[in-house]
Amino acid sequence: MLGTGIVKKLQTMWHQETINAFNVVLKPVTIDDLELLREWRNRPDIRQYMFEQNEISSVQQRHWFSKVSVDKTQLQFVICYKEKRIGACNLKSSNSVAIDACISAESGMYIADNKYRGTILAFFAALALNEFAFLSLSLRAIVAKVKSSNVGALRFNEQLGYVTDSHQSSENVVCLTLNADAHQRAVKNFARFIRN
């Protein structure tokens, strides 16, 4: 069951699950991560791919955390590799239902550490998040919304098994959908790169 531990208000997310898979660890965001996440999110090389591109103040970041830390429609994680924080990812309910009761969710992710951007670790983080979504949350589908100009992210998602949903896409935004079978095929494709 999600969120079984006692949560200190404004200290940690309502969910306490740490995902340890595919050589990465996804840890629930805590208040200690906020400034680093804000620093990453405000960087032009990351911000350019966001739908909302305004810079975020520390006050706005704390306000964001006070909302999401108790919002059961989403899960927010810091991506860690060898105990170092390298990026962030999340899952959000597609229909405002609690994340552990919905059938589909929207995913988001970025690798902030330049040493690991464009490497296999980005795939590992996505595989870990997707595996959790399908096996632990029993989701039927994961949706990714990508700016049509973000060719790298579109290719990335396609390599993970996502397919374009032309009915939901627009000129500026491409909607892609992943199901459990396509995810398992992606896991098999990446298996040779995963060290146990």
Side-chain angles (χ1 to χ4, degrees), residues 147-166:
K147 290 172 98 176
S148 55
S149 60
N150 192 348
V151 177
L154 292 171
R155 272 197 311 261
F156 173 81
N157 284 299
E158 288 167 357
Q159 288 180 284
L160 289 166
Y162 284 83
V163 293
T164 300
D165 181 345
S166 57

Side-chain angles (χ1 to χ4, degrees), residues 84-189:
K84 182 179 181 189
R85 297 174 294 180
I86 65 167
C89 61
N90 62 63
L91 284 171
K92 296 179 183 178
S93 171
S94 297
N95 56 7
S96 301
V97 173
I99 194 79
D100 56 357
C102 66
I103 60 171
S104 68
E106 186 176 328
S107 68
M109 186 189 98
Y110 62 86
I111 301 296
D113 189 318
N114 288 327
K115 180 177 178 181
Y116 300 112
R117 288 180 89 181
T119 71
I120 196 79
L121 279 178
F123 289 102
F124 290 169
L127 289 169
L129 186 67
N130 296 347
E131 185 94 348
F132 177 79
F134 288 121
L135 297 183
S136 297
L137 298 177
S138 301
L139 295 183
R140 291 187 196 156
I142 303 172
V143 176
K145 294 181 181 175
V146 180
K147 290 172 98 176
S148 55
S149 60
N150 192 348
V151 177
L154 292 171
R155 272 197 311 261
F156 173 81
N157 284 299
E158 288 167 357
Q159 288 180 284
L160 289 166
Y162 284 83
V163 293
T164 300
D165 181 345
S166 57
H167 298 299
Q168 300 295 322
S169 297
S170 68
E171 184 178 331
N172 298 320
V173 178
V174 178
C175 291
L176 302 110
T177 305
L178 178 70
N179 64 35
D181 290 338
H183 165 68
Q184 287 306 318
R185 285 192 296 273
V187 168
K188 287 178 185 173
N189 290 340

Side-chain angles (χ1 to χ4, degrees), residues 60-108:
Q60 289 171 309
Q61 185 76 342
R62 286 192 304 274
H63 181 68
W64 168 81
F65 187 70
S66 71
K67 285 178 153 182
V68 300
S69 65
V70 295
D71 183 355
K72 295 196 175 185
T73 67
Q74 61 183 290
L75 306 171
Q76 297 283 340
F77 296 98
V78 174
I79 302 165
C80 301
Y81 177 64
K82 295 185 177 179
E83 299 184 24
K84 182 179 181 189
R85 297 174 294 180
I86 65 167
C89 61
N90 62 63
L91 284 171
K92 296 179 183 178
S93 171
S94 297
N95 56 7
S96 301
V97 173
I99 194 79
D100 56 357
C102 66
I103 60 171
S104 68
E106 186 176 328
S107 68

